Amino acid sequence: QVQLVESGGGLVQPGGSLRLSCVASGSIFSRYTMGWYRQAPGKARELVAAITTGGTTNCADSVKGRFTISRDNAKNTVYLRMDSLKPEDTAVYYCNTANSRPFYSAPRDYWGQGTQVTVSS
């Protein structure tokens, strides 16, 4: 059974930082490129960063230089380090499979519950 469990969100002031974590079931994690997605109120879900099984990364222009994706294959966990956060980064963040190069969404049918990130003063 597929499992995706995101955590680490919260309320942070503009300019602050957060690190999100996602534990994925082994059947997905060990074989696929993983990505972080986000969905803001009233907007479509978008891919923000992706990382291959070998560690090659890519990210959306809107987060370039501020967000860093990484993974720990031994722990089946993918991380998203978010620095210099802006109010427009406010969204629910999810992890799922993705494609890194070229960069595009490629999620499985199942989604986890996500983790809320709110950037506000």
Side-chain angles (χ1 to χ4, degrees), residues 25-40:
S25 57
S27 62
I28 282 184
F29 194 88
S30 63
R31 296 164 53 194
Y32 292 97
T33 293
M34 296 298 295
W36 280 97
Y37 297 76
R38 67 184 180 187
Q39 187 167 23

Side-chain angles (χ1 to χ4, degrees), residues 27-118:
S27 62
I28 282 184
F29 194 88
S30 63
R31 296 164 53 194
Y32 292 97
T33 293
M34 296 298 295
W36 280 97
Y37 297 76
R38 67 184 180 187
Q39 187 167 23
K43 294 188 177 181
R45 193 172 292 172
E46 63 172 343
L47 178 65
V48 295
I51 185 167
T52 66
T53 55
T56 300
T57 64
N58 206 348
C59 64
D61 288 342
S62 59
V63 305
K64 199 159 291 182
R66 301 188 299 120
F67 289 12
T68 303
I69 188 170
S70 60
R71 65 193 291 163
D72 185 334
N73 292 333
K75 296 182 179 179
N76 285 359
T77 301
V78 59
Y79 303 97
L80 187 67
R81 170 75 181 189
M82 305 185 295
D83 296 313
S84 303
L85 282 161
K86 304 175 181 180
E88 51 263 43
D89 295 319
T90 295
V92 180
Y93 284 72
Y94 304 86
C95 69
N96 211 313
T97 53
N99 205 76
S100 180
R101 293 179 188 273
F103 186 71
Y104 61 82
S105 300
R108 314 297 283 180
D109 291 337
Y110 173 86
W111 292 89
Q113 83 289 348
T115 186
Q116 175 71 49
V117 172
T118 303

